Amino acid sequence: MTEYPAATRRALSQGTTEDEMSDETTTDITDDHVDRDSEAYAHWKAAYEASALRDAEFETMSGVEVEPVYGEAPFPGQYPYTRGVYASMYRSKLWTMRMFAGFGTAEDTNARFKDILRNGGTGLSTAFDMPTLMGRDSDHEWSLGEVGKAGVAVDTLADMEDLFADIDLGGVSTSMTINSPANTIMAMYIAVGENNGVERARLGGTIQNDILKEFQAQKEFIYPPRPSMRLITDLMRFTTAEMPRWHPVSISGYHIREAGSTAAQELAFTLANGFAYVEAAVAAGLDVDAFAPRLSFFFNSHTDFFEEIGKFRAARRIWARWMKERYGAQNERSLLCRFHTQTAGVSLTAQQPENNIARVATQALAAVLGGTQSLHTDSFDEALALPTEKSARIALRTQQIVAEETGVAHVADPLGGAPYVEWMTDEMERQAEAIFAHLDEIGDGSILEGVYAGIDNGYFAGEIADSAYRFEREVNAGRRTIVGVNRYKEGGKDEIPILYIDEATEDIQRKRLAEVKQSRDDDAAHRALERLRAEAADSTINLMPAFIDAVKAYVTEGEITDTLEAVFGTYTETAVI
């Protein structure tokens, strides 16, 4: 009896005769494109068959059934994971569609969160306003004009309660983009969960908490680097012990890229920061395999399609090799570089803004072909303002089209083995390794010390600034095309709806802050701050319990920041020329 390939069996079952079938239909393409006799394939097949699969048809629009993987070993889910961290990749689970949202008051953002979840979003991603990101209350003099403008305003636990009102924190994955005050915000999230009957062990999600890239690129720092790292290792230790579903650091290249770096610099600086966190945690007494599986990454997906794909593939390979060979990780999960991706906000243009929908779709496709675990797609109007509800929904629909209509999720690493893609992956790795060698040298054999030195001497800031300057010169000279900006320009101005934040938001938020302060137990708040001050002065004490105690007493974010600044000091950046 003839053993026909799957596509042929399907055709025969549908009444097509063998004579009617084309040569293409009767050829089992997998025989020529997968080395089925290798030991690596046998291991991959066992892992794949042990994976739960989505309820989906893995076939083309013409009805051709496709295999879950093509090419040669190592296969997806196999060291060094260049081809993906899981054997089945998106056949088991699509990436998390996590839309970044935050504006106005906590109640305003809560309504947007619920709209995202109603429309198929599978995770929440929280944008905080500038005062919150800088650890200042809404009534601080620095906050004037900024409250609720570029994110949601959170001053106290009362705001966090409103932000997640009527959302089951045990059933949703939440990401929070905040760094210097990350411990304070994390404490508030834990308190909200526990007040709603969701114990901390059930809370799942990620907090960015990547202070190193703040010194290098985004500049939202408060305390000097070394005490800032103490706060991060405290949170890593706390979540390792008590929150198995939580990722305490999302090591972020996104902001490095947005500041103007190249793809290779984004890759290298981000992974170097990851190595620095590993060294800091090990120095604090943590076992590498206890915390490394909870580290996650956050990359930018820019417009140079194949360079981005190569960057993602190289990231997995480098991380796996360094964790195994340099840091001695034994747990396979410690070797996995799992990452969230956001399309490149900096690539969006205010001119002809609807062109941004095409840019975002292309960047989203690169992220998926690069094997991302979650994805945020920017809204087309973000070069002008925060996204409207409609533009945010178009951005989400873009992901859904990539996931549900294109077929790219049927096969793991579908571009693996393509000479250009493999070369680009190697090139990204080569450039990154050169940067690691420099940091290792200036750190006398420590990447952590090399990163500290690079912050102090302006290495990171200078490299990023040089790259940004070069790119802008090339755009201005016409060597690089930005459609609608330096080519294919149109006269006039596109009229699209813009989201405006009501100026009354600031008054509403300040009034609410005053009410919380007036209604709280001042003695309890004072005691909580005194405990925080005393324990901050002792580097052997994990500060997370003191943070949780303080926010539950409705101590404000600004009061906590002031207390820690009195102990840790305030960081002032050295100018780089």
Side-chain angles (χ1 to χ4, degrees), residues 303-311 313 317 415-428:
T303 307
D304 195 321
F305 192 71
F306 289 103
E307 186 173 67
E308 294 305 300
I309 294 169
K311 178 187 72 180
R313 299 174 90 249
R317 181 192 298 172
L415 300 183
Y420 182 40
V421 171
E422 296 298 340
W423 177 85
M424 184 63 78
T425 304
D426 293 345
E427 178 62 15
M428 289 291 104

Side-chain angles (χ1 to χ4, degrees), residues 82 257 261-269 271 299-300 304-318 321 420-436:
T82 312
R257 191 65 178 282
S261 81
T262 66
Q265 288 169 335
E266 176 198 354
L267 172 66
F269 295 173
L271 294 186
F299 287 113
N300 192 301
D304 195 321
F305 192 71
F306 289 103
E307 186 173 67
E308 294 305 300
I309 294 169
K311 178 187 72 180
F312 298 131
R313 299 174 90 249
R316 282 191 294 268
R317 181 192 298 172
I318 295 169
R321 191 180 66 251
Y420 182 40
V421 171
E422 296 298 340
W423 177 85
M424 184 63 78
T425 304
D426 293 345
E427 178 62 15
M428 289 291 104
E429 181 179 25
R430 185 191 65 79
Q431 292 193 30
E433 289 287 351
I435 293 173
F436 300 150

Side-chain angles (χ1 to χ4, degrees), residues 121-158:
T122 51
L124 300 175
S125 185
T126 315
F128 297 97
D129 70 359
M130 186 57 72
T132 305
L133 292 172
M134 296 302 296
R136 311 298 166 181
D137 289 339
S138 295
D139 60 358
H140 192 281
E141 59 181 335
W142 293 1
S143 304
L144 183 64
E146 294 289 344
V147 176
K149 290 292 178 63
V152 60
V154 172
D155 294 316
T156 68
L157 179 59

Side-chain angles (χ1 to χ4, degrees), residues 212 215-217 219 256 261-262 264-270 272-273 430-443 447-468 571 573-577:
L212 292 175
F215 296 111
Q216 296 162 347
K219 314 298 183 183
I256 293 170
S261 81
T262 66
Q265 288 169 335
E266 176 198 354
L267 172 66
F269 295 173
T270 306
N273 290 344
R430 185 191 65 79
Q431 292 193 30
E433 289 287 351
I435 293 173
F436 300 150
H438 172 71
L439 294 173
D440 215 18
E441 181 180 359
I442 64 175
I447 293 292
L448 173 60
E449 292 300 326
V451 169
Y452 283 147
I455 291 170
D456 288 343
N457 68 19
Y459 165 74
F460 295 104
E463 291 291 301
I464 293 169
D466 286 348
S467 296
Y571 182 70
E573 185 179 34
T574 302
V576 177
I577 300 176

Side-chain angles (χ1 to χ4, degrees), residues 17 24 50 78 117 150 193 213 240 280 316 333 447 451 482 514 522 544 571:
T17 68
E24 182 178 359
Q78 295 182 345
L117 294 174
K213 59 88 175 169
T240 296
R316 282 191 294 268
R333 291 175 59 80
I447 293 292
V451 169
I482 307 293
D522 277 340
M544 279 309 297
Y571 182 70

